[in-house]
Amino acid sequence: MPARRRPAKAPAAYQSLSTPGPGLHLRGPGVQLRIEALADDLLHLQWTHGTRGKPTPSWVVSPWTPPRPAVQTGIGATTASITTPVGTYAIDLRSGAWSVTDRHGLQVFSAAAGATTVSKSESTLTLDLAERESVFGLGETTGTFNRRGLQREFWNIDVLGHAPAIHPALKQLYVSIPFALSMRDGRAAGVFWDTPARQFWDIGQTRLDRWQMKASTGAIDLYLFLGPEVDHVVSRYTQLTGAMPLPPKWGLGYQQSRYSYETRERVEEIAQELRKRRLPCDVLYLDIHHMEGYRVFTFGKAFPKPAEMIRRLGRKGFKVVTIVDPGVKNDPKFGVLQRGRKADAFVKAPDGKTDYLGEVWPGESRFPDFLNAGARSWWAREQQALSEQGVAGIWNDMNEPANFARPDKTLDPECLHRTDRGPQRHREVHNLYGHHMAQASREGLLAAGGSDPSRCPRPFVITRAGYAGIQRHALVWTGDNSSNWDHLNDAVQMFLNLSLSGVPFCGGDVGGFLENTTPELFLRWFQFSTFTPFFRNHSNIGTIDQEPWALGQPVEEICRTFLHLRYQLLPYLYCLFAEARSTGAPIMRPLLWHYPNDPVAVACGDQFLLGRDLMIAPVLRQGAVARSVYLPNDTWIQFWTGEPLVGGQHVVSEAPLSTIPLYVRAGAILPFGPAQQFVGEIPDDSLMLHCVPGPQGRLDWYEDDGETQAYEQGQTLRRTFISRVRGRTWSLDVSPAVGPFTSRVKTWRLVLWQARHKGRLRLNGRPAPYDVVEDQDMIVADIPNDVGPIRVEYSPVV
Ligand code: GLC
């Protein structure tokens, strides 16, 4: 943190400036506090320095439009309070101490006298940590799953090899999301301090019972989420910071990258190998070597006729994504630089007049001012050059932004941005740089796609840096990890916590980026990544080849099996993406999401759920051929053996190299697609519907064209699948299709698990034929996908 200019003073007394109404407006010594309930379970608190003036609006939270809840405000001689149907915020007007309690009077948050201070350039907030409180979220952060005990500085930087074993005390990373989910005794709550300036959190490290936060700003812009359900907290947070748009379906497929495939020949060779070896893959990446001397938006001599190359790859079912870094080479002959200067689009040096010069891959570079709308549209126009060659997606890297020219690895904090709302020093807005670069990239892809949504390809943008709300513009990949077991371990908690922080579409470099991987590590990483939302293999320059076949034939074969499984899972995954878009629910979920009252499940950070119905326990130790798995309270079927297991216990799962411990929840309804070489190779007209009898089963089926923006105009289809078991009868009810999109599915191939006896199958009340898969206790029946309601029943004949 920069040296404090003036000590922050604790306010001694508050007085009310408002009459009882929908919110509270208080004034304390040198500070104002406004409190408003945006929803029953969402409070917005703004402390601002000075006794005049208004809070500055958020950079990422859009003005709140939903109707405000009915609240009661009370202003007494010593306390002021605001009560919603879910909880009460009360502040002691004499001391400034405040607390939030739920409707049963249980404490949700509390801050002691003097715990909330605001000075001109620094603000602090210290919350009490309860004894059994766990803290999750904070976006991309290394370390333990439960963030309690960690220190974290929100200041985006480029950091190589960020595994805890390499950098045990690492506090900063590429992405800053100052949002946390707190859990105690099954009750969830959330905190979001919205500022893109430097922020520092100490969650019970220095003081075991204190969650200390401070930021280099003269205001506290705070949202408190009262829960008490986990999904309510995360969905409110997503409502504030924005929903993830749907990616094209191919973005869910396997992706192959390396720093770098240095020539056109090498890229084509990789494509050929993938197809020849029947290793499904949708996307190939071009890292920085594709450019002419690292000049952004160009193709160098090693990539002659890029449009032709991309067309040829397209015929084989590949999409091409290129890296786009922010630094524009300071070469006076370079067209992008010339036009950027003409548009006056670069970040200014501290003098406010000359363009700031830093150093990145191209050498001396200027940095586009992505916080300025004019600069963003200039950038989008430049990016058109890539779209015209057929590039399907943009990979934003080095956008913290990274700058080799300074020891702190980023821009001079006094650099000047001419933002959409006026001049700002870099230190005030640092964490927004990557966010707005991703915005520019996405907007550029949309502009290149034209104005007809049904013809406009869905943007696909990957980013390394970001701030709260980054999910609106890009998926997040977690940067330069290393090929070691420690980093594989860290990846699990990292994606889970990112997922809880509003970023459902995330993933990391499969196999590890830095250092040479090993066949075993690669395989375990690959198996785990089969179930992560983003699935891309990437490795550093100078490391051994890391394509699945480069690690030996046994590895290649197992990878093929897992790739097939990934592609079969795509319809299920796509429904989870749709759910994430509409509710903010993570795709990859920690156990606490569905089992918040089970302390063992809450603490579990090395297993995860994919949606409600699949549980994955990745193998994270070298040499391990078995691992302990916690089964929460449900019945679980071992995916590979079909063995049913009762929940509420730990089991030891065998995990020879060829498998990963994988469990299906009794009640699951899993739509499976074909094992294909790329998305769209085989039409989606016949999908499997794996159903496991169990007390509650539900699938929220979602369909659209998977490629264009037409879904944004409502070209979608939804229906609900509900399964039940009553006595010995299993039933499935499919609600009528809603929405104008015509389903591509003609037939559901129902696969009913654990159908041990011969029995009767009825379709809409009439007997229907089926086949028995004897040795697997399954029956299989084809169900026409009518748009009206469908009812299927199966009763064994005893
Ligand atoms: C950064 C990226 C990495 C990329 C490399 C070269 O280190 O994080 O993924 O390969 O730059 O562009």
Side-chain angles (χ1 to χ4, degrees), residues 277-535:
R277 295 169 184 272
R278 311 287 296 160
L279 292 163
C281 178
D282 267 275
V283 192
L284 297 172
Y285 282 72
L286 304 185
D287 204 327
I288 51 175
H289 285 91
H290 77 275
M291 292 178 275
E292 175 68 52
Y294 306 139
R295 286 171 185 80
V296 64
F297 304 126
T298 65
F299 284 90
K301 286 191 195 62
F303 284 83
K305 299 197 190 144
E308 188 203 64
M309 173 191 79
I310 294 170
R311 259 199 316 277
R312 276 164 61 113
L313 293 170
R315 283 200 288 273
K316 292 192 174 130
F318 291 105
K319 303 285 186 294
V320 171
V321 171
T322 50
I323 197 165
V324 172
D325 293 348
V328 177
K329 189 173 177 69
N330 195 30
D331 165 4
K333 294 205 195 95
F334 180 31
V336 174
L337 184 92
Q338 291 166 352
R339 290 185 292 276
R341 291 191 64 186
K342 207 157 160 215
D344 199 10
F346 294 110
V347 175
K348 294 290 176 201
D351 65 10
K353 296 192 185 89
T354 51
D355 287 353
Y356 180 75
L357 293 174
E359 198 188 325
V360 215
W361 303 124
E364 196 174 59
S365 303
R366 302 186 198 218
F367 295 84
D369 192 351
F370 292 112
L371 280 77
N372 177 291
R376 285 198 298 273
S377 40
W378 158 70
W379 189 256
R381 285 196 299 281
E382 296 293 344
Q383 190 180 285
Q384 190 99 9
L386 297 178
S387 299
E388 278 161 12
Q389 307 285 345
V391 169
I394 300 294
W395 167 20
N396 285 161
D397 187 22
M398 311 296 276
N399 53 346
E400 295 70 34
N403 176 15
F404 305 152
R406 287 174 54 89
D408 65 1
K409 295 172 128 192
T410 189
L411 304 189
D412 183 323
E414 297 308 317
C415 277
L416 195 76
H417 293 267
R418 282 143 322 142
T419 78
D420 300 342
R421 52 168 89 147
Q424 297 274 333
R425 294 288 164 190
H426 184 69
R427 64 182 146 74
E428 300 170 294
V429 290
H430 171 77
N431 290 336
L432 284 172
Y433 192 83
H435 180 90
H436 287 298
M437 181 182 190
Q439 179 187 5
S441 302
R442 181 176 163 80
E443 287 170 356
L445 288 173
L446 282 172
S451 55
D452 177 357
S454 64
R455 300 172 80 96
C456 178
R458 271 181 215 175
F460 184 76
V461 181
I462 305 168
T463 187
R464 194 171 73 174
Y467 176 64
I470 184 62
Q471 69 273 6
R472 299 204 307 267
H473 307 307
L475 74 93
V476 170
W477 116 95
T478 55
D480 297 342
N481 57 16
S482 323
S483 297
N484 65 47
W485 291 91
D486 189 60
H487 216 130
L488 172 58
N489 277 269
D490 204 39
V492 186
Q493 70 73 20
M494 211 183 231
F495 303 166
L496 288 175
N497 279 308
L498 255 174
S499 299
L500 288 175
S501 310
V503 185
F505 199 7
C506 57
D509 290 348
V510 177
F513 176 75
L514 302 166
E515 315 290 337
N516 291 332
T517 198
T518 66
E520 185 192 0
L521 175 64
F522 177 78
L523 196 54
R524 292 310 196 185
W525 212 313
F526 202 91
Q527 290 168 330
F528 156 63
S529 310
T530 301
F531 305 94
T532 60
F534 181 53
F535 186 10

Side-chain angles (χ1 to χ4, degrees), residues 1 18 23 28 43 83 100 231 256 271 291 313 354 357 359 377 395 451 479 548 558 603 606 638 679 710 746:
M1 307 285 287
S18 59
L43 301 174
T83 300
V100 176
D231 55 342
Q256 185 63 53
M291 292 178 275
L313 293 170
T354 51
L357 293 174
E359 198 188 325
S377 40
W395 167 20
S451 55
I558 299 168
D606 65 350
Q638 224 277 18
V679 169
K746 304 265 177 298

